[in-house]
Amino acid sequence: MPLFSAPSFAPGQVLTTCKLGLGQMLSWGSAFYLPAILAGAMGESLGIPPSRIFAAFSVALLMMALTGPVAGRLIDRWGGRPLLMATNLLFALGLVLLSQVQTQVQLFAVWLLLGLAMGAGLYEAAFATSVRLYGKAARGSIVGITLFGGFASTLSWPLTTWLLHGWGWREACLVWAGVQLLVLLPLHASLPQAPARASADAVVPPTGLPAAAPAAALRGQWLSLVLLALTFAAIWFIGTSMMSHLPRLLMVSGASATAAVAAAALVGPAQVASRIADYAFLRRAHPLWSARIAVTAYPLAALLLAVFGAPGAWAYALAFGLGNGIMTVVIGTLPLAMFGAQGYGQRQGLLMVPARMTQASAPFLFGLALEQWQLGALWVLMLAASMAATALWCLRPKQV
């Protein structure tokens, strides 16, 4: 099995990882996870069906797809600190405006703004920031960032629900805006400055790390890039479908609303547990092997729910969380292992464009499948998982 070296952490790397991880946990909770809790109340307040809220959310996800490559290139050039600080301001502005919307036009316009913030401020931006700072040694940081991020839904769903019932959906948006300004903006301002670049197109790696492969070395690897893009698109479709509809899917299986929410809350801890296990036992293995193992969790979860129904809801949430936890890490570490640190941010942004496109369609398409086919919608997830597994087994564990 090809080995992926696990270098020791650079000075200050652990603290930086914690800052980036906390930023991701709160940023995901303050935007991406809001519609799952607030869509009903927002629709009732605005006099539109909840599906219209998810349509606006899908527009935001499309904006994320367009923003990613540009954000990645900016991080490659200037580092992540200024961009992440700018996204905190965008998040805060968008959330304040969201709390004031009165019409559908305003709703869609605000979600476009939030989509811009999400495209430049969520996982890919944090991963690229870490790679810009630490080069190939960033694999441990990527795992650490996702450990924090794994608790985003576990923290945000109950907190947003409490804010919704205690004050209302508009006030919940204002609270999350305050988190962006008062917590995350100072946090990201304290990140280390990225090292100077040797040229406009090359990252200077930290001392002791090998220089990244030149861009010319990536020529002829288009097939690997296509297979990675296909894998990420399938995985993000599954993940977004579940983040938008998991409680509803479990209720369709026969679970009560309370049991469905309780089971869904297990996804976060399961993701964190799988990431710890992956780093503990497979950190020296090429990330491709982690991906191949993890992708099997999706059809296993679907089989458990299809066979056992409501009693299998807890097992489904655990199995999905275990697989999804590792796959989220792989999205950051696999391109780093195969193509190196040079140009990581822009390349990662381009690789994620198809994923963001499928992600934008996932809430609507899986919701429609769930409405039409009930538990038969699991076949949609099975198809996406099969596509990802096929692409992963066609890849070869190259390493730069």
Side-chain angles (χ1 to χ4, degrees):
M1 182 182 297
L3 295 182
F4 183 105
S5 59
S8 58
F9 283 101
Q13 187 174 352
V14 172
L15 179 59
T16 298
T17 299
C18 291
K19 291 177 180 179
L20 288 170
L22 181 59
Q24 288 302 296
M25 181 173 66
L26 295 176
S27 289
W28 280 89
S30 64
F32 190 90
Y33 289 126
L34 288 184
I37 302 299
L38 300 183
M42 292 175 68
E44 182 178 353
S45 173
L46 298 175
I48 58 178
S51 60
R52 206 68 54 83
I53 307 298
F54 281 105
F57 182 56
S58 293
V59 169
L61 297 182
L62 287 174
M63 176 59 76
M64 286 180 69
L66 299 175
T67 305
V70 178
R73 184 168 181 80
L74 290 174
I75 293 174
D76 286 339
R77 185 171 182 82
W78 304 108
R81 184 175 68 177
L83 186 66
L84 290 174
M85 292 173 63
T87 62
N88 294 140
L89 297 175
L90 284 177
F91 272 124
L93 175 61
L95 288 164
V96 169
L97 293 175
L98 185 62
S99 74
Q100 304 301 314
V101 296
Q102 302 292 337
T103 68
Q104 290 188 57
V105 173
Q106 293 173 352
L107 177 70
F108 277 79
V110 171
W111 272 109
L112 272 175
L113 179 61
L114 286 171
L116 179 63
M118 290 191 290
L122 294 185
Y123 268 150
E124 285 74 45
F127 295 163
T129 298
S130 183
V131 171
R132 181 67 175 81
L133 289 169
Y134 305 112
K136 290 289 288 291
R139 185 184 184 186
S141 292
I142 291 172
V143 175
I145 290 166
T146 60
L147 290 180
F148 282 89
F151 285 114
S153 61
T154 305
L155 170 70
S156 67
W157 279 347
L159 177 57
T160 303
T161 300
W162 179 71
L163 292 171
L164 171 64
H165 294 308
W167 287 286
W169 70 268
R170 297 183 186 275
E171 289 75 12
C173 292
L174 289 174
V175 169
W176 282 114
V179 169
Q180 288 287 339
L181 286 177
L182 301 179
V183 178
L184 296 185
L185 182 59
L187 185 75
H188 287 145
S190 69
L191 289 171
Q193 184 176 355
R197 291 169 54 123
S199 70
D201 297 307
V203 174
V204 176
T207 303
L209 293 177
L218 300 181
R219 293 172 184 170
Q221 297 188 358
W222 64 268
L223 180 58
S224 295
L225 291 168
V226 169
L227 290 172
L228 277 178
L230 177 62
T231 299
F232 295 168
I235 294 305
W236 274 91
F237 179 87
I238 296 172
T240 305
S241 295
M242 291 301 93
M243 292 303 100
S244 301
H245 298 289
L246 180 55
R248 182 182 168 197
L249 173 65
L250 299 182
M251 285 189 283
V252 165
S253 74
S256 67
T258 301
V261 172
L266 292 175
V267 170
Q271 289 185 143
V272 172
S274 68
R275 290 163 186 168
I276 293 173
D278 177 62
Y279 191 71
F281 300 109
L282 294 174
R283 69 177 180 271
R284 293 188 178 276
H286 197 285
L288 184 57
W289 292 100
S290 297
R292 289 170 174 172
I293 293 170
V295 77
T296 62
Y298 297 118
L300 175 61
L303 181 63
L304 289 170
L305 193 62
V307 172
F308 296 105
W314 299 82
Y316 178 89
L318 284 171
F320 167 75
L322 290 171
N324 204 61
I326 295 176
M327 290 305 300
T328 304
V329 176
V330 166
I331 284 173
T333 59
L334 186 51
L336 178 62
M338 295 188 68
F339 306 115
Q342 180 179 339
Y344 175 92
Q346 184 180 20
R347 182 171 55 250
Q348 191 73 350
L350 292 171
L351 279 172
M352 291 301 294
V353 168
R356 295 300 187 190
M357 295 293 185
T358 59
Q359 183 185 42
S361 66
F364 172 75
L365 290 180
F366 190 77
L368 183 62
L370 197 57
E371 180 180 329
Q372 296 294 322
W373 303 328
Q374 300 294 294
L375 274 186
L378 290 171
W379 284 106
V380 177
L381 303 183
M382 293 281 283
L383 176 62
S386 298
M387 291 173 57
T390 301
L392 287 170
W393 281 101
C394 289
L395 283 168
R396 294 293 176 264
K398 302 173 185 177
Q399 184 171 317
V400 176

PDB file of all heavy atoms in Angstrom, residues 187-202:
ATOM      1  N   LEU A 187     -11.326  36.003  15.498  1.00  0.00           N
ATOM      2  CA  LEU A 187     -10.628  34.714  15.431  1.00  0.00           C
ATOM      3  C   LEU A 187      -9.798  34.621  14.159  1.00  0.00           C
ATOM      4  O   LEU A 187      -8.608  34.268  14.197  1.00  0.00           O
ATOM      5  CB  LEU A 187     -11.648  33.581  15.484  1.00  0.00           C
ATOM      6  CG  LEU A 187     -11.082  32.166  15.544  1.00  0.00           C
ATOM      7  CD1 LEU A 187     -10.531  31.879  16.933  1.00  0.00           C
ATOM      8  CD2 LEU A 187     -12.167  31.151  15.189  1.00  0.00           C
ATOM      9  N   HIS A 188     -10.400  34.944  13.029  1.00  0.00           N
ATOM     10  CA  HIS A 188      -9.666  34.862  11.764  1.00  0.00           C
ATOM     11  C   HIS A 188      -8.611  35.961  11.650  1.00  0.00           C
ATOM     12  O   HIS A 188      -7.588  35.774  10.973  1.00  0.00           O
ATOM     13  CB  HIS A 188     -10.650  34.928  10.593  1.00  0.00           C
ATOM     14  CG  HIS A 188     -11.452  33.682  10.418  1.00  0.00           C
ATOM     15  ND1 HIS A 188     -12.766  33.678   9.996  1.00  0.00           N
ATOM     16  CD2 HIS A 188     -11.134  32.373  10.631  1.00  0.00           C
ATOM     17  CE1 HIS A 188     -13.210  32.428   9.946  1.00  0.00           C
ATOM     18  NE2 HIS A 188     -12.251  31.639  10.329  1.00  0.00           N
ATOM     19  N   ALA A 189      -8.834  37.091  12.302  1.00  0.00           N
ATOM     20  CA  ALA A 189      -7.826  38.160  12.286  1.00  0.00           C
ATOM     21  C   ALA A 189      -6.547  37.731  12.998  1.00  0.00           C
ATOM     22  O   ALA A 189      -5.468  38.270  12.728  1.00  0.00           O
ATOM     23  CB  ALA A 189      -8.387  39.422  12.936  1.00  0.00           C
ATOM     24  N   SER A 190      -6.657  36.750  13.892  1.00  0.00           N
ATOM     25  CA  SER A 190      -5.493  36.279  14.648  1.00  0.00           C
ATOM     26  C   SER A 190      -4.745  35.155  13.946  1.00  0.00           C
ATOM     27  O   SER A 190      -3.747  34.650  14.480  1.00  0.00           O
ATOM     28  CB  SER A 190      -5.936  35.802  16.035  1.00  0.00           C
ATOM     29  OG  SER A 190      -6.715  34.606  15.941  1.00  0.00           O
ATOM     30  N   LEU A 191      -5.180  34.756  12.759  1.00  0.00           N
ATOM     31  CA  LEU A 191      -4.470  33.715  12.011  1.00  0.00           C
ATOM     32  C   LEU A 191      -3.102  34.222  11.572  1.00  0.00           C
ATOM     33  O   LEU A 191      -2.913  35.424  11.343  1.00  0.00           O
ATOM     34  CB  LEU A 191      -5.273  33.302  10.780  1.00  0.00           C
ATOM     35  CG  LEU A 191      -6.555  32.501  11.019  1.00  0.00           C
ATOM     36  CD1 LEU A 191      -7.342  32.361   9.712  1.00  0.00           C
ATOM     37  CD2 LEU A 191      -6.242  31.129  11.599  1.00  0.00           C
ATOM     38  N   PRO A 192      -2.118  33.328  11.423  1.00  0.00           N
ATOM     39  CA  PRO A 192      -0.793  33.780  10.960  1.00  0.00           C
ATOM     40  C   PRO A 192      -0.833  34.245   9.518  1.00  0.00           C
ATOM     41  O   PRO A 192      -1.661  33.803   8.718  1.00  0.00           O
ATOM     42  CB  PRO A 192       0.075  32.527  11.107  1.00  0.00           C
ATOM     43  CG  PRO A 192      -0.879  31.379  11.097  1.00  0.00           C
ATOM     44  CD  PRO A 192      -2.147  31.888  11.733  1.00  0.00           C
ATOM     45  N   GLN A 193       0.066  35.153   9.203  1.00  0.00           N
ATOM     46  CA  GLN A 193       0.175  35.640   7.829  1.00  0.00           C
ATOM     47  C   GLN A 193       0.840  34.579   6.971  1.00  0.00           C
ATOM     48  O   GLN A 193       1.789  33.915   7.395  1.00  0.00           O
ATOM     49  CB  GLN A 193       0.980  36.935   7.796  1.00  0.00           C
ATOM     50  CG  GLN A 193       1.079  37.577   6.431  1.00  0.00           C
ATOM     51  CD  GLN A 193       1.798  38.910   6.482  1.00  0.00           C
ATOM     52  OE1 GLN A 193       2.134  39.386   7.568  1.00  0.00           O
ATOM     53  NE2 GLN A 193       2.053  39.515   5.328  1.00  0.00           N
ATOM     54  N   ALA A 194       0.353  34.404   5.754  1.00  0.00           N
ATOM     55  CA  ALA A 194       0.935  33.415   4.848  1.00  0.00           C
ATOM     56  C   ALA A 194       2.350  33.819   4.467  1.00  0.00           C
ATOM     57  O   ALA A 194       2.654  35.011   4.352  1.00  0.00           O
ATOM     58  CB  ALA A 194       0.070  33.275   3.599  1.00  0.00           C
ATOM     59  N   PRO A 195       3.257  32.840   4.263  1.00  0.00           N
ATOM     60  CA  PRO A 195       4.629  33.168   3.862  1.00  0.00           C
ATOM     61  C   PRO A 195       4.656  33.804   2.480  1.00  0.00           C
ATOM     62  O   PRO A 195       3.755  33.602   1.664  1.00  0.00           O
ATOM     63  CB  PRO A 195       5.336  31.810   3.857  1.00  0.00           C
ATOM     64  CG  PRO A 195       4.232  30.804   3.679  1.00  0.00           C
ATOM     65  CD  PRO A 195       3.045  31.391   4.382  1.00  0.00           C
ATOM     66  N   ALA A 196       5.703  34.577   2.230  1.00  0.00           N
ATOM     67  CA  ALA A 196       5.844  35.223   0.926  1.00  0.00           C
ATOM     68  C   ALA A 196       6.006  34.175  -0.158  1.00  0.00           C
ATOM     69  O   ALA A 196       6.520  33.082   0.068  1.00  0.00           O
ATOM     70  CB  ALA A 196       7.056  36.159   0.937  1.00  0.00           C
ATOM     71  N   ARG A 197       5.559  34.531  -1.356  1.00  0.00           N
ATOM     72  CA  ARG A 197       5.672  33.620  -2.493  1.00  0.00           C
ATOM     73  C   ARG A 197       6.928  33.938  -3.287  1.00  0.00           C
ATOM     74  O   ARG A 197       7.321  35.084  -3.429  1.00  0.00           O
ATOM     75  CB  ARG A 197       4.443  33.748  -3.403  1.00  0.00           C
ATOM     76  CG  ARG A 197       3.188  33.227  -2.772  1.00  0.00           C
ATOM     77  CD  ARG A 197       1.984  33.621  -3.596  1.00  0.00           C
ATOM     78  NE  ARG A 197       2.135  33.194  -4.989  1.00  0.00           N
ATOM     79  CZ  ARG A 197       1.271  32.408  -5.618  1.00  0.00           C
ATOM     80  NH1 ARG A 197       0.214  31.955  -4.983  1.00  0.00           N
ATOM     81  NH2 ARG A 197       1.459  32.071  -6.876  1.00  0.00           N
ATOM     82  N   ALA A 198       7.511  32.883  -3.855  1.00  0.00           N
ATOM     83  CA  ALA A 198       8.720  33.086  -4.654  1.00  0.00           C
ATOM     84  C   ALA A 198       8.407  33.746  -5.986  1.00  0.00           C
ATOM     85  O   ALA A 198       9.197  34.464  -6.562  1.00  0.00           O
ATOM     86  CB  ALA A 198       9.425  31.753  -4.900  1.00  0.00           C
ATOM     87  N   SER A 199       7.199  33.486  -6.502  1.00  0.00           N
ATOM     88  CA  SER A 199       6.777  34.086  -7.756  1.00  0.00           C
ATOM     89  C   SER A 199       5.272  34.153  -7.760  1.00  0.00           C
ATOM     90  O   SER A 199       4.616  33.729  -6.823  1.00  0.00           O
ATOM     91  CB  SER A 199       7.263  33.259  -8.961  1.00  0.00           C
ATOM     92  OG  SER A 199       6.560  32.027  -9.026  1.00  0.00           O
ATOM     93  N   ALA A 200       4.705  34.634  -8.789  1.00  0.00           N
ATOM     94  CA  ALA A 200       3.260  34.769  -8.875  1.00  0.00           C
ATOM     95  C   ALA A 200       2.561  33.438  -8.972  1.00  0.00           C
ATOM     96  O   ALA A 200       1.373  33.349  -8.781  1.00  0.00           O
ATOM     97  CB  ALA A 200       2.888  35.633 -10.088  1.00  0.00           C
ATOM     98  N   ASP A 201       3.308  32.387  -9.281  1.00  0.00           N
ATOM     99  CA  ASP A 201       2.648  31.110  -9.514  1.00  0.00           C
ATOM    100  C   ASP A 201       3.187  29.988  -8.655  1.00  0.00           C
ATOM    101  O   ASP A 201       2.904  28.827  -8.900  1.00  0.00           O
ATOM    102  CB  ASP A 201       2.780  30.707 -10.996  1.00  0.00           C
ATOM    103  CG  ASP A 201       2.099  31.690 -11.900  1.00  0.00           C
ATOM    104  OD1 ASP A 201       0.906  31.971 -11.672  1.00  0.00           O
ATOM    105  OD2 ASP A 201       2.745  32.175 -12.837  1.00  0.00           O
ATOM    106  N   ALA A 202       3.965  30.295  -7.644  1.00  0.00           N
ATOM    107  CA  ALA A 202       4.527  29.207  -6.843  1.00  0.00           C
ATOM    108  C   ALA A 202       4.458  29.548  -5.380  1.00  0.00           C
ATOM    109  O   ALA A 202       4.794  30.643  -4.959  1.00  0.00           O
ATOM    110  CB  ALA A 202       5.986  28.960  -7.239  1.00  0.00           C
TER     111      ALA A 202
END
